[in-house]
Amino acid sequence: MPFAWFWFSVAAIILLTAVCSSDVVVRGRYRRVGADDEAELEIRALYGLIRRRSVVKAFDWSWSGTEFLVKRGQQGVAHIDRDDVERFFRNTRVALRLTFHLTDVVKRLTARMRLTEWEWHTVIGLRDAFWTAMLTGAAWSLQAGLTGFLSHRLRLCAKPVLRVEPLFGSSVFKTNLTFTARIRAGLLLLAGLSMFGRILRVRGGIEGWVKLLTKPDKAEPQRT
């Protein structure tokens, strides 16, 4: 019997090591051609055994009165009103209050994330050459600025590929952004354990997080 437990322990250690050594891969792509959009986000874990992919096509953003409309082609229209925005920020403040120095966990985790792909190609064209040049410079500044910001937050493991091409004499706008980020599953596990310990350091942290995660999305109307 002790011999069987020995091999069971060895197998458990090997399995845990393999899981912690695996990468959680996040790959995203956003493309806009004229007024058409397409976004894709894929998450893979455990050597591809766990895979989640989400695709949104032909969505448009517009503000109507006090409501934010997210149109997703044939998938319907999602409404985000002012209450939804306020609820998001309110829940964020509550999460920060219920966790001891939550921002430290986030900063340390993002610092361990590896950006292995970052490609951004934009084509801009207006019939006016002056405004084409102006918008081309603005687009280049935006791409370079965002890339520089990410380089200070993540570990760049591949050279970023940035291109902005002016197309004089034509009215066109195309942009295509592709990125791949990786992080060890073991680091996510350690971050989860660290976050749990930080929640325990706050009085009422566990009860507060349970209420935060289980309460309904929409607030109930107040009774008069």
Side-chain angles (χ1 to χ4, degrees), residues 23 34 37 48 68 71 83 86 90 99 112 119 121-122 134 138 160 162-163 166 171 176 190 205:
D23 278 343
D37 298 83
F68 203 51
K71 302 180 181 179
D83 292 336
E86 293 178 352
R90 183 169 61 251
T99 310
R112 299 292 186 89
E119 296 185 6
H121 180 206
T122 302
M134 291 289 292
L162 305 178
R163 289 184 295 172
S171 181
N176 190 355
L190 291 177

Short mmCIF file of all heavy atoms in Angstrom, two decimals, residues 23 34 37 48 68 71 83 86 90 99 112 119 121-122 134 138 160 162-163 166 171 176 190 205:
data_model
loop_
_atom_site.label_atom_id
_atom_site.label_comp_id
_atom_site.label_asym_id
_atom_site.label_seq_id
_atom_site.Cartn_x
_atom_site.Cartn_y
_atom_site.Cartn_z
N ASP A 23 1.69 27.09 -20.74
CA ASP A 23 1.36 28.50 -21.00
C ASP A 23 -0.14 28.68 -21.17
O ASP A 23 -0.81 27.84 -21.80
CB ASP A 23 2.07 29.00 -22.27
CG ASP A 23 3.51 29.39 -22.00
OD1 ASP A 23 3.86 29.58 -20.83
OD2 ASP A 23 4.28 29.48 -22.97
N GLY A 34 -13.23 50.26 -43.54
CA GLY A 34 -14.33 51.20 -43.72
C GLY A 34 -15.19 51.26 -42.47
O GLY A 34 -14.73 51.62 -41.40
N ASP A 37 -16.40 46.07 -38.91
CA ASP A 37 -15.47 45.65 -37.87
C ASP A 37 -15.54 44.14 -37.68
O ASP A 37 -16.57 43.51 -37.92
CB ASP A 37 -15.79 46.32 -36.54
CG ASP A 37 -15.67 47.82 -36.60
OD1 ASP A 37 -16.63 48.48 -37.03
OD2 ASP A 37 -14.61 48.33 -36.22
N GLY A 48 -3.47 23.41 -25.05
CA GLY A 48 -4.54 23.41 -26.04
C GLY A 48 -5.74 22.56 -25.67
O GLY A 48 -6.73 22.54 -26.42
N PHE A 68 -25.69 53.58 -24.36
CA PHE A 68 -24.61 53.21 -25.26
C PHE A 68 -25.03 51.95 -25.99
O PHE A 68 -25.34 50.93 -25.37
CB PHE A 68 -23.35 52.95 -24.44
CG PHE A 68 -22.09 53.10 -25.22
CD1 PHE A 68 -21.84 54.23 -25.97
CD2 PHE A 68 -21.14 52.11 -25.20
CE1 PHE A 68 -20.65 54.38 -26.68
CE2 PHE A 68 -19.95 52.24 -25.90
CZ PHE A 68 -19.71 53.38 -26.63
N LYS A 71 -23.94 47.37 -31.39
CA LYS A 71 -24.62 46.59 -32.42
C LYS A 71 -23.68 45.51 -32.94
O LYS A 71 -22.56 45.78 -33.32
CB LYS A 71 -25.05 47.50 -33.58
CG LYS A 71 -25.98 48.64 -33.14
CD LYS A 71 -26.37 49.51 -34.32
CE LYS A 71 -27.27 50.65 -33.86
NZ LYS A 71 -27.64 51.54 -34.99
N ASP A 83 -26.32 53.44 -15.88
CA ASP A 83 -26.31 52.61 -14.68
C ASP A 83 -25.30 51.47 -14.80
O ASP A 83 -24.63 51.11 -13.82
CB ASP A 83 -27.70 52.04 -14.40
CG ASP A 83 -28.69 53.12 -14.01
OD1 ASP A 83 -28.24 54.18 -13.52
OD2 ASP A 83 -29.91 52.91 -14.18
N GLU A 86 -21.81 53.00 -14.28
CA GLU A 86 -21.61 53.31 -12.87
C GLU A 86 -21.47 52.05 -12.04
O GLU A 86 -20.67 52.00 -11.09
CB GLU A 86 -22.79 54.16 -12.35
CG GLU A 86 -22.86 55.55 -12.97
CD GLU A 86 -24.06 56.32 -12.48
OE1 GLU A 86 -24.91 55.71 -11.78
OE2 GLU A 86 -24.17 57.52 -12.79
N ARG A 90 -18.35 51.03 -9.69
CA ARG A 90 -18.67 50.78 -8.29
C ARG A 90 -18.16 49.41 -7.85
O ARG A 90 -17.57 49.26 -6.77
CB ARG A 90 -20.17 50.90 -8.06
CG ARG A 90 -20.57 50.72 -6.60
CD ARG A 90 -22.01 51.12 -6.38
NE ARG A 90 -22.94 50.31 -7.15
CZ ARG A 90 -23.64 50.77 -8.20
NH1 ARG A 90 -23.50 52.04 -8.58
NH2 ARG A 90 -24.47 49.98 -8.85
N THR A 99 -9.82 43.72 -1.16
CA THR A 99 -8.56 43.00 -1.37
C THR A 99 -7.41 43.92 -0.99
O THR A 99 -7.31 45.04 -1.47
CB THR A 99 -8.41 42.56 -2.83
OG1 THR A 99 -9.60 41.87 -3.24
CG2 THR A 99 -7.22 41.63 -2.99
N ARG A 112 4.92 39.74 -15.61
CA ARG A 112 5.38 38.39 -15.98
C ARG A 112 4.80 37.94 -17.31
O ARG A 112 5.20 36.89 -17.83
CB ARG A 112 4.98 37.40 -14.89
CG ARG A 112 5.59 37.69 -13.52
CD ARG A 112 7.08 37.49 -13.52
NE ARG A 112 7.65 37.64 -12.21
CZ ARG A 112 7.79 36.65 -11.31
NH1 ARG A 112 7.36 35.44 -11.63
NH2 ARG A 112 8.33 36.87 -10.15
N GLU A 119 1.48 42.97 -34.09
CA GLU A 119 1.51 43.49 -35.45
C GLU A 119 0.32 44.41 -35.65
O GLU A 119 -0.82 44.03 -35.37
CB GLU A 119 1.48 42.35 -36.48
CG GLU A 119 2.69 41.43 -36.43
CD GLU A 119 2.68 40.41 -37.54
OE1 GLU A 119 1.78 40.51 -38.41
OE2 GLU A 119 3.54 39.52 -37.54
N HIS A 121 -1.10 47.08 -38.63
CA HIS A 121 -0.98 47.63 -39.98
C HIS A 121 -2.19 48.51 -40.25
O HIS A 121 -3.34 48.07 -40.12
CB HIS A 121 -0.88 46.51 -41.01
CG HIS A 121 -0.75 47.00 -42.41
ND1 HIS A 121 -1.16 46.27 -43.51
CD2 HIS A 121 -0.27 48.17 -42.90
CE1 HIS A 121 -0.92 46.96 -44.61
NE2 HIS A 121 -0.39 48.12 -44.26
N THR A 122 -1.95 49.75 -40.64
CA THR A 122 -3.03 50.70 -40.91
C THR A 122 -2.81 51.36 -42.26
O THR A 122 -1.68 51.72 -42.60
CB THR A 122 -3.10 51.78 -39.81
OG1 THR A 122 -3.29 51.16 -38.54
CG2 THR A 122 -4.24 52.75 -40.06
N MET A 134 -1.56 64.31 -42.42
CA MET A 134 -1.82 64.60 -41.01
C MET A 134 -2.35 63.38 -40.28
O MET A 134 -1.88 63.03 -39.18
CB MET A 134 -2.81 65.77 -40.90
CG MET A 134 -2.25 67.10 -41.34
SD MET A 134 -1.03 67.75 -40.16
CE MET A 134 -2.09 68.10 -38.76
N ALA A 138 -0.75 61.07 -37.21
CA ALA A 138 -1.49 60.83 -35.97
C ALA A 138 -1.62 59.34 -35.69
O ALA A 138 -1.47 58.88 -34.54
CB ALA A 138 -2.86 61.49 -36.04
N PRO A 160 8.02 44.38 -32.28
CA PRO A 160 6.72 44.84 -32.80
C PRO A 160 6.82 45.21 -34.27
O PRO A 160 7.82 45.77 -34.73
CB PRO A 160 6.42 46.07 -31.93
CG PRO A 160 7.28 45.94 -30.72
CD PRO A 160 8.51 45.22 -31.17
N LEU A 162 5.03 47.52 -36.87
CA LEU A 162 4.11 48.64 -37.02
C LEU A 162 4.24 49.21 -38.42
O LEU A 162 5.34 49.48 -38.89
CB LEU A 162 4.41 49.73 -35.99
CG LEU A 162 4.43 49.31 -34.51
CD1 LEU A 162 4.79 50.50 -33.64
CD2 LEU A 162 3.08 48.73 -34.10
N ARG A 163 3.10 49.39 -39.07
CA ARG A 163 3.09 49.98 -40.41
C ARG A 163 1.90 50.91 -40.56
O ARG A 163 0.78 50.55 -40.20
CB ARG A 163 3.04 48.90 -41.48
CG ARG A 163 4.32 48.08 -41.63
CD ARG A 163 4.18 47.11 -42.78
NE ARG A 163 3.15 46.12 -42.53
CZ ARG A 163 2.71 45.23 -43.42
NH1 ARG A 163 3.20 45.25 -44.65
NH2 ARG A 163 1.79 44.35 -43.11
N PRO A 166 0.10 55.67 -46.11
CA PRO A 166 -0.84 56.66 -46.67
C PRO A 166 -1.25 56.26 -48.09
O PRO A 166 -0.44 55.72 -48.86
CB PRO A 166 -0.01 57.94 -46.68
CG PRO A 166 1.41 57.47 -46.82
CD PRO A 166 1.49 56.14 -46.12
N SER A 171 -10.30 57.66 -50.62
CA SER A 171 -10.90 57.74 -49.29
C SER A 171 -11.03 56.31 -48.74
O SER A 171 -11.93 55.57 -49.14
CB SER A 171 -12.26 58.42 -49.35
OG SER A 171 -12.83 58.51 -48.06
N ASN A 176 -5.53 46.66 -39.01
CA ASN A 176 -5.50 45.25 -38.63
C ASN A 176 -4.49 45.09 -37.50
O ASN A 176 -3.30 45.32 -37.68
CB ASN A 176 -5.12 44.39 -39.83
CG ASN A 176 -5.32 42.91 -39.55
OD1 ASN A 176 -5.66 42.51 -38.44
ND2 ASN A 176 -5.11 42.08 -40.55
N LEU A 190 -0.21 31.02 -8.53
CA LEU A 190 0.38 31.75 -7.41
C LEU A 190 -0.32 33.09 -7.19
O LEU A 190 -0.52 33.51 -6.05
CB LEU A 190 1.88 31.97 -7.67
CG LEU A 190 2.77 30.72 -7.63
CD1 LEU A 190 4.20 31.10 -7.97
CD2 LEU A 190 2.71 30.07 -6.25
N GLY A 205 -13.68 40.30 3.91
CA GLY A 205 -13.30 40.21 2.50
C GLY A 205 -13.98 39.04 1.78
O GLY A 205 -14.48 39.20 0.67
#
